[in-house]
Amino acid sequence: MTLAHDVAGDGPDTVLLLHSGVCDRRMWDGQFHALAEAGHRVVRCDLRGFGDTPIDAPHVHADDVRDLLDHLGVERAALVGSSFGGEVALEFTVRHPGRTTALALLCAAAPGHEAGPELRAFFGRERELLVAGDIAGAAALNVDLWLGPDADAAARDLVLRMQTRAFELQLPAPDEFAPGEVEVTDKDLAAIEVPVLVATGAHDVPDFGVIGDRLAGLFPDVRRVTLDWAGHLPAVERPAETTRLISEFLAG
């Protein structure tokens, strides 16, 4: 199965946008065409279990990304990953070496991170709501946690709709269709030699600042940025500013 995706632009380099775990490819509405107009070929996709891509078989997200790039005839791409999409980008880069030209990690999750108390409490409350069948309540809980103070009503509504859609796809899926894990060690990450941007938000859950500092200490070619205005989803909180951040990194 090919992941649902959109392509814009005809530049010489390809940029692949990988969404967060509470979103789908719609989270990149503010960057998709803007990056294409800046001279890139831009691809955004729905990972399996999000947006327009159902869960129909056991899978590995990093391999689904490889298959999408193969389908599009793209040998190498710059990967921009938000949260969960950042972890998928890291797994892809380790699992399929030589195919990544740059990594922009926005509030990225990372292999091997153990959740702190705030994140554990959130997951516990989310689980309680889902067990009770309160999908609307669980989606609203996610909106409240993951969006920073600059998110407007439209951003909150979009994240609410994207998270609700993810629940609708993922909750009925049989256990045997769960995504496969990719073993990635700090040694594997330290061997990544492409340029890396590590950006985190000052208003995010503390775990992601910890992850950002850990990642920044591993890569040999890294730019570390803390966005003093951002929560967990800068791409939907301040789209234009996030586009500039990504564009400047790719240009550099």
Side-chain angles (χ1 to χ4, degrees), residues 172-202:
D175 291 343
E176 59 267 28
F177 286 3
E181 295 185 5
V182 177
E183 183 177 352
V184 175
T185 66
D186 281 4
K187 182 178 179 180
D188 293 326
L189 297 176
I192 294 174
E193 296 182 343
V194 303
V196 181
L197 169 69
V198 176
T200 54

Side-chain angles (χ1 to χ4, degrees), residues 16 18 28 78-93 100 102-111 189 192 194-201 208 211-212 214-216 218-219 221-227 232 234 242 245-246 249-250:
L16 175 62
L18 297 172
W28 302 112
L79 305 186
V80 180
S82 171
S83 187
F84 165 68
E87 183 170 2
V88 174
L90 291 170
E91 292 173 349
F92 171 85
T93 301
T100 301
L103 281 168
L105 304 173
L106 308 180
C107 307
L189 297 176
I192 294 174
V194 303
V196 181
L197 169 69
V198 176
T200 54
F208 294 92
I211 291 171
R214 170 192 156 206
L215 292 176
L218 292 173
F219 301 124
D221 183 2
V222 63
R223 178 187 175 197
R224 174 75 170 96
V225 176
T226 299
L227 305 173
H232 189 63
T242 303
L245 177 68
I246 296 168
F249 168 69
L250 295 175

Side-chain angles (χ1 to χ4, degrees), residues 9 29 41 47 52 83 85 88 105 113 119 126 131 139-140 151 163-164 169 180-181 189 196 240:
D29 285 350
R41 185 189 188 197
L47 296 169
D52 294 324
S83 187
V88 174
L105 304 173
H113 177 74
L119 204 52
E126 181 189 55
V131 168
Q163 176 63 90
T164 300
L169 289 173
E181 295 185 5
L189 297 176
V196 181

